Amino acid sequence: MSEALSTRHLLGIDDLSAADIELIFRTADGFKEVLSRPIKKVPSLRDTTIANIFFENSTRTRISFELAEKRLSADVVNFSSGTSSTKKGETLVDTVNNILAMKVDMVVMRHADPGAGVFLSRHVDASIVNAGDGTHEHPTQALLDAYSIREKLGRVKGVKVAIVGDILHSRVALSNILCLRKLGAEVTLCGPATLMPRHARDLGVHVSHDLDETLRWCDVANMLRIQLERQGGDGITNFPSLREYAMLFGLDRKRYEAIGKEITIMHPGPINRGVEITSDVADGAHSIILDQVENGVAVRMAVLFLLAGGPGRSARS
Amino acid sequence: MEPLILLEGAAFGLTVKRLCHQLIEDRGHLGDTALIGLQPRGVLFARRLRSELLRITGEKQITYGELDITFHRDDFRHRPVTAIPGTTELDFSLDGRRVVLIDDVLYTGRTIRAGLDAMLAFGRPRSVELMVLVDRRFSRELPIQPDYTGQHVDSIGDQHVTVEWQETDGVDRISLKHVAR
């Protein structure tokens, strides 16, 4: 067990060691208990100001981060690109440096371009937390997913996890694969060949195009959202119709019951009900979809707490 | 340098018993008392006190909780390592209770300050008293004093006081040693 994170930023799961992830989980356990108290607030980050900069739409992630920050007593400023000077042509580094000039210590950023967080971390003097960068990574989602598996099954090592659906466009998938592999889980990716990255097997995962077979194999199925907004950007559609996708790769009650064993169902949200998963499964007894959302706040509190505190980290003066 | 042993064995047990009797003498009964041990090492003392008190009073139970103060520390940026949180188990309201806050060693007083802060989330106790096994006098950084003390130790900065417990360390012992700076 390490006693401090090995990184100053959280740009991707790639930057974290298994010990880092374990430290985040241990810390999140403490915050989960805090969140069950009548007063769900601790003073740890009362000297820290955090800017949430969202260049892409988000509901769950932004609210989750904001709640995490407020429950750590940090000061919070929110910024979304629709109402900002980026519309007037300001560059990313200028935008962020202007925010930092107002004495901001940490930046939580979502951006449509892969690597935006990495780029920013090289040009500004603040801890950066990646809240999703294009199709690249979404590290806090992967952490809360693995944390939820650990909570439900008591361990992550050796657990068989299926990640189903639009792997190609999914930053959740990449971060999940990296996180689960680091923690010793077995991962199978399942989806149509057109939504599967070409070199997926290089990440140490199995690849399948047969959902029923994959469901029989796994302990946990993480049903990803079909990212309608990222399909066909280059004039190519990746599958013929949503109806056909739902028939081949959607999870409904009938399919679930045919597995012949209990598996845990996850979804990173937002759900396209009736496409990748039907309501009776998403809201059923084996779904931990809302637990994932609940755990998200505790895991994000842990990440912010660990990045803000510890050796060599001090409030900017 | 060999650690200096300040208290061990039977004498150690006597000190714990004396603190229990002192508490009972002061309060008469423990009906509205809540014992709260501070993580990580104060809980070992608190658990011992609880079992001694149950034995002495013949009661079936004493209100008891454990409190972690990691997120309430004022020094989390200044410590050489990140503090790893312990668990808080406090499944009752403190409203109207007479709380005894329990820690093994009282040194600067900062842990107790954080403990008082952390307690606020669980209600408004009628009163709070502090019980420690070891009071390192003359090294306080805050105006906090114990109400019940096992032993006073007059020590200087580069000394370290360690309390070990039969249950977890195999021996009841308080020792003092020099730490290299």
Side-chain angles (χ1 to χ4, degrees):
Chain A
M1 166 75 65
S2 76
E3 287 173 316
L5 288 186
S6 62
T7 171
R8 197 181 154 231
H9 309 282
L10 180 62
L11 304 172
I13 297 294
D14 225 6
D15 302 337
L16 300 177
S17 65
D20 287 333
I21 297 171
E22 202 46 53
L23 176 62
I24 291 169
F25 288 177
R26 284 271 303 273
T27 310
D29 288 340
F31 285 120
K32 256 213 109 164
E33 183 277 318
V34 168
L35 293 175
S36 70
R37 296 179 189 174
I39 299 176
K40 302 169 179 53
K41 194 167 173 125
V42 292
S44 306
L45 297 195
R46 63 188 152 197
D47 58 352
T48 305
T49 306
I50 303 177
N52 298 317
I53 307 182
F54 280 71
F55 292 99
E56 239 190 6
N57 293 336
S58 163
T59 309
R60 190 180 345 263
T61 304
R62 195 171 55 77
I63 290 178
S64 181
F65 265 111
E66 192 172 340
L67 269 176
E69 290 152 6
K70 288 184 166 164
R71 291 188 163 154
L72 288 165
S73 303
D75 290 322
V76 181
V77 285
N78 286 306
F79 163 105
S80 54
S81 63
T83 54
S84 74
S85 293
T86 49
K87 286 258 148 100
K88 301 176 189 165
E90 193 177 45
T91 66
L92 177 60
V93 170
D94 279 343
T95 301
V96 174
N97 269 330
N98 274 281
I99 292 170
L100 295 180
M102 296 182 247
K103 306 289 182 211
V104 167
D105 308 293
M106 297 176 81
V107 173
V108 175
M109 183 173 75
R110 168 165 292 188
H111 201 284
D113 292 338
V118 177
F119 169 76
L120 200 60
S121 72
R122 291 182 186 153
H123 291 92
V124 305
D125 177 28
S127 281
I128 311 288
V129 180
N130 179 6
D133 57 338
T135 54
H136 178 221
E137 280 226 44
H138 190 354
T140 55
Q141 178 72 44
L143 291 169
L144 74 90
D145 286 346
Y147 183 83
S148 301
I149 293 172
R150 169 182 176 267
E151 182 181 72
K152 173 80 178 173
L153 302 177
R155 70 202 154 89
V156 179
K157 196 179 169 72
V159 172
K160 293 176 175 164
V161 183
I163 302 177
V164 183
D166 188 354
I167 314 293
L168 184 64
H169 296 105
S170 177
R171 55 193 172 210
V172 175
L174 180 59
S175 288
N176 257 285
I177 293 164
L178 297 172
C179 187
L180 292 168
R181 293 293 299 140
K182 282 187 185 195
L183 296 175
E186 270 193 79
V187 179
T188 293
L189 306 179
C190 178
T194 48
L195 291 176
M196 194 63 69
R198 237 185 306 170
H199 302 293
R201 284 191 179 85
D202 295 351
L203 294 167
V205 299
H206 315 287
V207 173
S208 163
H209 304 296
D210 180 339
L211 181 59
D212 295 302
E213 183 189 68
T214 303
L215 292 174
R216 280 195 298 275
W217 169 84
C218 71
D219 305 310
V220 177
N222 195 350
M223 308 301 296
L224 300 183
R225 181 174 67 94
I226 283 289
Q227 307 213 10
L228 296 168
E229 74 278 16
R230 294 191 214 275
Q231 307 293 338
D234 41 8
I236 302 166
T237 42
N238 298 92
F239 51 90
S241 72
L242 283 179
R243 196 172 129 82
E244 185 186 311
Y245 179 86
M247 280 174 64
L248 289 172
F249 294 100
L251 180 58
D252 58 14
R253 172 150 300 278
K254 208 173 128 210
R255 187 165 248 153
Y256 186 93
E257 280 166 359
I259 303 167
K261 64 171 185 177
E262 286 185 9
I263 64 168
T264 300
I265 304 299
M266 302 173 68
H267 192 296
I271 303 177
N272 294 315
R273 284 181 185 261
V275 182
E276 64 266 2
I277 191 166
T278 57
S279 293
D280 47 7
V281 181
D283 307 331
H286 304 294
S287 159
I288 57 166
I289 295 173
L290 290 176
D291 303 84
Q292 290 173 263
V293 179
E294 184 188 338
N295 289 336
V297 177
V299 168
R300 291 184 172 109
M301 285 172 84
V303 166
L304 295 167
F305 175 82
L306 291 169
L307 288 177
R313 298 181 174 87
S314 57
R316 279 153 44 88
S317 51
Chain B
M1 193 192 284
E2 281 292 297
L4 179 65
I5 292 166
L6 302 176
L7 195 65
E8 64 180 338
F12 185 106
L14 267 181
T15 299
V16 174
K17 285 195 186 74
R18 192 244 306 156
L19 289 168
C20 291
H21 283 288
Q22 241 178 306
L23 193 67
I24 297 165
E25 184 187 4
D26 270 16
R27 305 195 161 203
H29 70 99
L30 299 179
D32 57 355
T33 292
L35 305 180
I36 298 183
L38 292 181
Q39 290 279 16
R41 302 288 296 180
V43 301
L44 303 174
F45 181 25
R47 287 173 195 164
R48 176 74 67 86
L49 284 167
R50 176 178 59 171
S51 55
E52 281 292 329
L53 281 167
L54 288 173
R55 204 178 51 74
I56 294 166
T57 61
E59 299 282 342
K60 289 275 182 293
Q61 65 168 46
I62 290 174
T63 310
Y64 171 84
E66 299 182 351
L67 186 63
D68 181 69
I69 54 112
T70 307
F71 305 130
H72 294 265
R73 299 196 73 96
D74 60 3
D75 59 352
F76 94 108
R77 286 185 200 287
H78 306 286
R79 292 158 67 89
V81 297
T82 310
I84 295 180
T87 47
T88 293
E89 284 192 28
L90 233 168
D91 53 2
F92 51 89
S93 164
L94 297 182
D95 282 343
R97 288 189 193 274
R98 294 194 291 170
V99 169
V100 187
L101 213 51
I102 297 160
D103 205 357
D104 58 346
V105 181
L106 175 60
Y107 181 39
T108 62
R110 287 182 190 271
T111 302
I112 305 303
R113 190 222 45 88
L116 291 169
D117 190 21
M119 257 174 37
L120 294 178
F122 297 92
R124 181 180 184 274
R126 197 172 106 208
S127 65
V128 182
E129 289 188 307
L130 174 62
M131 181 183 288
V132 296
L133 189 60
V134 179
D135 176 10
R136 296 183 67 177
R137 297 187 289 195
F138 314 131
S139 41
R140 211 77 81 239
E141 295 171 6
L142 294 171
I144 285 171
Q145 308 304 338
D147 300 284
Y148 305 93
T149 306
Q151 191 173 56
H152 294 288
V153 175
D154 300 338
S155 57
I156 52 174
D158 57 357
Q159 289 172 322
H160 189 81
V161 176
T162 308
V163 180
E164 292 162 287
W165 298 92
Q166 184 79 49
E167 295 86 337
T168 50
D169 312 300
V171 62
D172 285 339
R173 182 165 60 201
I174 303 173
S175 51
L176 180 74
K177 64 179 169 202
H178 279 272
V179 283
R181 289 229 150 170

